Amino acid sequence: MKNNALKSTAAVSLVAILLSACTGGIKNTAATDSTTTDSMVVAGLKPAGPAPEWGKTIKPEMQVVIEKLSSYEDKPLETLTAIEARKNHTPTDAVRDLIKQNNIVVPVPKVDTVGKDIDEGKIHLRIYTPKDGNGPYPLIVYYHGGGFVIANLDVYNASAQALAEQVGAIVVSVAYRLAPENKFPTAHNDAFTAYEWAVKNAVELKADPAKIAVVGESAGGNLAANVSIMARNKHIMLPVHEVLIYPIAQADTNTQSYQRYENAKPLNKPMMGWFTEQYLNTMIEAQDPKISLVNANLKGLPPTTIITAEIDPLHDDGIMLADKLKAAGVKVNTKNYEGVTHEFFGMALLVPEAKAAQAYAADQLKAAFK
């Protein structure tokens, strides 16, 4: 679906990875953020053309999604204003349309969802609760991607719902405020405010307050790691685990993966520069440890799982961060998925590597929650 869901909260879709938009002013007992998705993979999707020059190793299913995304012929994001960019199609749109075109049947979700506003309405949460059992459940605080500028809870619903269903956990998905309307470090502060709220309200959510983890994708991966750092610094309960999926971890856009995949889709090098300009007050802030995690004090952080995609400018960010965490004495597990691009994690219905990555993340979290 288009990112203009940020402006309209009325649309509800009947197919996978489409969901009703977050509703401002929702009370926890009065309304529901409804969602629909699945984690089954439908095989047999065939690309229409040859592999792109920027991704010769791309898997067929991944290429089909990218071909569909390209077919919308949106203007390059980095040439637009933030408001215009949020109207561009997303990879979620491509998945949705492929589901329609291939008549894929979507099972009923295994979670209930409800919306909740916190921090005087500045931050909206979507809370996923398993339908089976009565708890207490483990709790995951999830942060979506979008370069701190675009996307929303709807665009990343598939990831959050898959984690809730596969881990058997409550997931609190955080709609932190976006740039350029809200500059650095607003998203980082919102991320921590949401984590603090989750810790304080775990019992009310039917969660086990001793079993809380953080997960994030891309910009959200950066936020999740920062939440752990801030929890350590402020001496509140650390997450028991963090899963960082192709996180933004440093400011050098001349790494090998940036150079190799500078023209990749759905994320390329010019887009990363645009995101940085939109979020930061000055480019000097790119070296701030909150943005360049590789410059941060990483000692004492929780065990960490880092997932990377091969065809991704941010691939090396994840590897560099893993090395820095290990050097700081943090237990780290990493897994790279070949032939897939940035944003693949939420595409489990269509892309086998996404299904495998979700299962891997779920296994890591379940082990941490034991």
Side-chain angles (χ1 to χ4, degrees):
M1 62 188 277
K2 291 188 177 182
N3 280 336
N4 61 7
L6 286 167
K7 299 194 301 181
S8 171
T9 58
V12 179
S13 173
L14 300 178
V15 296
I17 316 183
L18 293 183
L19 7 63
S20 73
C22 293
T23 303
I26 278 179
K27 301 298 182 183
N28 200 28
T29 57
T32 296
D33 277 14
S34 70
T35 59
T36 310
T37 190
D38 182 44
S39 59
M40 296 170 56
V41 172
V42 176
L45 296 179
K46 302 296 184 184
E53 287 298 321
W54 49 260
K56 289 297 187 180
T57 60
I58 195 167
K59 299 288 187 180
E61 297 87 356
M62 187 77 245
Q63 185 178 338
V64 169
V65 176
I66 297 300
E67 286 178 346
K68 175 54 66 175
L69 184 61
S70 299
S71 74
Y72 303 127
E73 298 184 347
D74 291 328
K75 293 180 180 178
L77 180 145
E78 65 273 13
T79 68
L80 304 174
T81 66
I83 292 173
E84 291 169 338
R86 292 172 192 150
K87 297 176 183 178
N88 267 11
H89 293 82
T90 70
T92 300
D93 292 313
V95 172
R96 174 203 65 186
D97 288 343
L98 288 166
I99 286 168
K100 283 183 178 179
Q101 291 169 13
N102 289 277
N103 298 314
I104 296 170
V105 177
V106 182
V108 175
K110 300 175 184 176
V111 293
D112 292 318
T113 54
V114 65
K116 175 72 177 178
D117 289 323
I118 64 169
D119 196 26
E120 299 179 342
K122 297 173 186 173
I123 304 168
H124 184 69
L125 310 175
R126 179 179 292 160
I127 302 166
Y128 301 72
T129 303
K131 290 182 177 180
D132 296 334
N134 298 308
Y137 303 97
L139 177 60
I140 298 167
V141 185
Y142 171 84
Y143 303 97
H144 70 75
F148 309 109
V149 181
I150 62 171
N152 54 31
L153 303 188
D154 293 347
V155 173
Y156 284 84
N157 169 71
S159 297
Q161 184 166 329
L163 291 167
E165 293 181 342
Q166 295 182 40
V167 179
I170 292 170
V171 170
V172 175
S173 187
V174 181
Y176 51 87
R177 286 172 288 175
L178 300 177
E181 296 88 346
N182 303 281
K183 290 284 192 175
F184 175 78
T186 302
H188 289 76
N189 292 338
D190 285 358
F192 186 70
T193 296
Y195 176 76
E196 277 191 305
W197 181 90
V199 170
K200 292 175 182 176
N201 291 276
V203 174
E204 183 181 344
L205 293 172
K206 297 184 180 179
D208 184 340
K211 296 180 178 180
I212 303 178
V214 291
V215 179
E217 290 184 59
S218 195
N222 177 285
L223 295 176
N226 271 285
V227 164
S228 295
I229 292 170
M230 294 171 76
R232 179 202 63 195
N233 292 349
K234 293 176 181 290
H235 306 290
I236 75 164
M237 193 190 86
L238 275 175
V240 299
H241 200 84
E242 56 182 16
V243 178
L244 314 178
I245 304 162
Y246 28 75
I248 295 173
Q250 56 87 51
D252 179 10
T253 59
N254 291 306
T255 63
Q256 275 195 336
S257 61
Y258 262 109
Q259 292 180 46
R260 185 175 300 159
Y261 302 117
E262 65 177 335
N263 297 316
K265 292 182 181 180
L267 181 69
N268 59 36
K269 183 174 176 177
M271 288 169 62
M272 282 303 301
W274 183 84
F275 287 136
T276 302
E277 291 174 0
Q278 297 293 316
Y279 185 42
L280 301 186
N281 299 284
T282 69
M283 295 306 288
I284 295 173
E285 289 177 337
Q287 299 302 323
D288 188 293
K290 287 185 174 67
I291 300 297
S292 289
L293 287 166
V294 295
N295 297 333
N297 173 11
L298 303 174
K299 292 182 179 178
L301 295 190
T304 302
T305 298
I306 295 180
I307 291 173
T308 55
E310 178 198 1
I311 308 171
D312 183 0
L314 295 184
H315 171 274
D316 291 359
D317 280 41
I319 301 305
M320 293 165 71
L321 180 58
D323 290 343
K324 290 285 187 176
L325 284 162
K326 290 174 185 175
V330 177
K331 181 181 177 183
V332 181
N333 289 309
T334 63
K335 187 164 283 193
N336 181 62
Y337 289 85
E338 301 289 333
V340 290
T341 72
H342 198 78
E343 302 288 12
F344 85 98
F345 186 80
M347 302 177 185
L349 190 60
L350 302 180
V351 179
E353 289 75 18
K355 182 177 182 181
Q358 289 182 5
Y360 173 64
D363 286 346
Q364 295 288 303
L365 289 162
K366 286 188 284 188
F369 288 140
K370 284 185 179 178

